[in-house]
């Protein structure tokens, strides 16, 4: 094995939407492969360049660059009709991807049954999910009723598998007073995707292992963020997968030591979509300034669901905990430009609960509801970050903000993004 591989993980350190796609696009300039290890169509990854905007959901962002191969790992839950739609849409925009995608036969399939279950459950559970069938599909994976891509391609056993899946949920649909889906309801739309997708299925684990060992440039594209991780996030207000470094090895079938660098994504302020704790949340005018009106393409409205994102000051305590936990080597910071014009910036450097400073991150939401963020007040700046091209050209107070974040996080900031386009990036 090479001493230091050319394989980088880009993972979100908050509740998603930290700008992972932008980072994957920038860091992927010389990439051979970009791989996704978890999640599915709940992800919304936006890349802007030369005035064009692309939003990726299941297709790895790196495919925007010519010649890059995109791998979809076993840890993903795939909505095949949506994947076909996404591939076709990219095709109509001149981006041919079908010859450059490799999908693991072990990936679980989101079916119409799963999306219907989620719709019913959300009425009472109220997580504020993306309604892409993610939770029910992962649930069935672990209860061993799931349908995998490899099984869909084999006639033998397929009908039995789908029947078992249906029977495991019959009582649920009956109790909800809704018709139970039939085998045709489930398989019909999936079968239609076979002509396009069957040839793209292959052994992602071996492919990636050999590529990384032979020195290929590989980017692993995280989805969601570590605060949405099913074990380490703000449970139960999380997604249903291992979104952080821990999901990489199982999701792709690779030795975790093949990952040469872990890049942590941090936005200059904090956001989340859906329900659940957000200790540094702000409201009213303060929130509107961070969120924007929706006029700019980067304003804080979900790229998958269009919902307004909740906004708050940068949660440096969550950042520090996540940098330690996931062994972050360098931070990639986005959206510093959004703070242009804010007179006073607040940075949360610690949590207090019942007057006591926390060392560990609270594990239950009832405790999180009692968090008092400890804020540092920093002087803002008028303008000058948007599209800035070098660290020296940033306003002095912006440079100080970055330095203070590094101290609080205990991790260096390697990149500062000053606008949505790939060229708006300062490499330090
Ligand atoms: P992801 O899910 O982590 O890939 O992030 P999203 O794509 O959902 O959301 C990030 C949004 O911010 C997108 O609209 C990006 O184009 C935009 N963006 C990324 N970096 C910057 C930046 O530095 N400045 C500005 N203004 N927008 C950015
Ligand atoms: P990217 O990759 C932001 C949130 C949902 C909800 C919770 C559970 O673009 O950063 P799910 O549909 O996964 O069961 O929803 O997780 N969520 C995201 N929030 N960005 C994402 O992805 C998200 N994926 C899921 O809003 O609160
Ligand atoms: Mg997103």
């Amino acid at each position: 094995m090479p001493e230091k591989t050319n394989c980088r993980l880009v993972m979100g350190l908050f509740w998603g939407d930290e700008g992972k796609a932008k980072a994957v696009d920038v860091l992927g300039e010389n990439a051979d492969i970009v791989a996704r290890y978890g999640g599915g169509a709940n992800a919304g990854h936006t890349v802007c360049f030369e005035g064009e905007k692309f939003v990726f959901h299941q297709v790895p962002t790196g495919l925007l660059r010519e010649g890059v191969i995109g791998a979809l790992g076993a840890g993903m839950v795939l909505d095949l009709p949506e994947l076909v739609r996404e591939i076709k849409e990219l095709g109509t925009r001149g981006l041919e991807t079908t010859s450059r995608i490799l999908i693991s036969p072990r990936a679980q399939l989101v079916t119409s049954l799963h999306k219907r279950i989620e719709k019913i459950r959300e009425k009472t559970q109220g997580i504020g999910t993306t309604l892409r069938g993610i939770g029910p599909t992962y649930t069935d994976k672990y209860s061993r009723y799931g349908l995998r891509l490899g099984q869909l391609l084999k006639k033998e056993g397929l009908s039995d598998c789908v029947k078992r899946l249906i029977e495991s949920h019959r009582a649920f649909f009956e109790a909800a007073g809704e018709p139970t889906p039939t085998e045709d309801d489930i398989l019909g739309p999936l079968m239609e995707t076979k002509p396009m997708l069957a040839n793209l299925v292959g052994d992602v684990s071996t492919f990636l292992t050999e590529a990384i060992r032979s020195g290929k440039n590989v980017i692993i594209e995280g989805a969601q963020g570590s605060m949405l991780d099913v074990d380490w996030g703000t449970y139960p207000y999380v997604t249903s997968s291992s979104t952080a470094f821990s999901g990489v090895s199982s999701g792709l079938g690779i030795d975790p030591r093949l990952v040469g660098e872990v890049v942590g994504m941090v936005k200059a302020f904090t956001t989340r979509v859906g329900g659940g704790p957000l200790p540094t949340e702000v409201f009213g005018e303060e929130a509107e300034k961070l969120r924007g009106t929706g006029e700019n393409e980067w304003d804080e409205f979900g790229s998958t669901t269009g919902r307004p994102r909740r906004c708050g000051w940068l949660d440096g305590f969550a950042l520090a905990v996540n940098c330690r936990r996931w062994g972050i080597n360098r931070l990639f910071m986005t959206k510093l430009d959004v703070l242009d014009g804010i007179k006073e910036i607040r940075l949360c450097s610690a949590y207090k609960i019942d007057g006591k400073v926390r060392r560990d991150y609270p594990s239950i939401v009832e405790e999180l509801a009692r968090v008092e963020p400890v804020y540092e007040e920093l002087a803002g700046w008028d303008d000058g970050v948007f599209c800035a091209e070098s660290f020296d050209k940033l306003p002095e107070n912006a440079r100080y903000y970055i330095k203070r974040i590094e101290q609080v996080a205990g991790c260096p900031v390697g990149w500062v993004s000053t606008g949505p386009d790939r060229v708006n990036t300062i490499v330090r």
Side-chain angles (χ1 to χ4, degrees), residues 93-314:
R93 299 184 64 186
L95 197 69
E96 199 288 312
T97 57
T98 40
S99 59
R100 303 191 277 136
I101 291 179
L102 183 69
I103 315 174
S104 170
R106 291 179 167 82
Q108 294 279 332
L109 302 185
V110 176
T111 69
S112 53
L113 169 142
H114 295 110
K115 288 198 248 185
R116 283 188 51 203
I117 292 175
E118 182 167 23
K119 235 180 167 175
I120 298 168
R121 270 196 200 146
E122 260 297 284
K123 282 186 204 150
T124 49
Q125 204 178 10
I127 302 284
T129 72
T130 59
L131 295 176
R132 296 298 189 271
I134 304 294
T137 306
Y138 277 116
T139 306
D140 276 343
K141 163 177 166 166
Y142 287 104
S143 61
R144 292 158 295 178
Y145 285 108
L147 173 60
R148 306 210 290 186
L149 178 54
Q151 176 66 80
L152 183 75
L153 302 180
K154 288 256 180 302
K155 268 211 178 100
E156 210 176 291
L158 176 59
S159 175
D160 286 347
C161 177
V162 175
K163 281 192 182 106
R164 271 198 303 273
L165 174 64
I166 293 170
E167 289 316 312
S168 75
H169 292 293
R170 186 175 295 283
F172 174 83
F173 283 108
E174 283 174 3
E178 299 232 2
T180 306
T182 64
E183 207 175 319
D184 278 352
D185 292 339
I186 292 174
L187 283 179
L190 298 182
M191 286 305 184
E192 283 175 22
T193 67
K194 264 175 78 170
M196 182 187 260
L197 298 180
N199 290 332
L200 312 184
V201 179
D203 185 348
V204 167
S205 162
T206 307
F207 173 69
L208 276 179
T209 301
E210 285 175 358
I212 300 170
R213 279 173 169 262
S214 67
K216 288 260 163 59
N217 185 326
V218 176
I219 307 237
I220 300 175
E221 176 177 353
Q224 292 77 52
S226 49
M227 298 306 279
L228 288 172
D229 184 277
V230 68
D231 292 298
W232 299 99
T234 45
Y235 191 88
Y237 295 94
V238 292
T239 188
S240 300
S241 61
S242 297
T243 58
F245 195 178
S246 52
V248 170
S249 182
S250 60
L252 290 172
I254 62 167
D255 178 345
R257 291 165 298 184
L258 290 177
V259 177
E261 184 175 35
V262 186
V263 177
M265 295 303 307
V266 52
K267 188 150 50 178
F269 50 98
T270 304
T271 61
R272 102 171 275 171
V273 216
L278 181 58
T280 62
E281 186 163 15
V282 293
F283 302 91
E285 256 176 51
E286 255 180 336
E288 277 159 29
K289 176 70 184 93
L290 296 173
R291 183 182 303 116
T293 55
E295 197 179 321
N296 302 308
E297 65 203 5
W298 60 80
D299 287 348
E300 296 292 348
F301 295 83
S303 31
T304 296
T305 57
R307 292 177 288 176
R309 295 176 185 147
R310 296 157 60 196
C311 296
W313 297 113
L314 179 55

Side-chain angles (χ1 to χ4, degrees), residues 7 28 40 157 196 212 299 360 408 411-412 420 424:
C7 170
M196 182 187 260
I212 300 170
D299 287 348
D360 59 318
V408 170
C411 186
N424 308 135

Side-chain angles (χ1 to χ4, degrees), residues 2 18 38 57 76 127 191 207 261 287 299 304 319 339 382 416:
E18 300 90 348
H57 298 283
M76 290 187 75
I127 302 284
M191 286 305 184
F207 173 69
E261 184 175 35
D299 287 348
T304 296
L319 177 65
L339 302 186
D382 290 332
V416 180

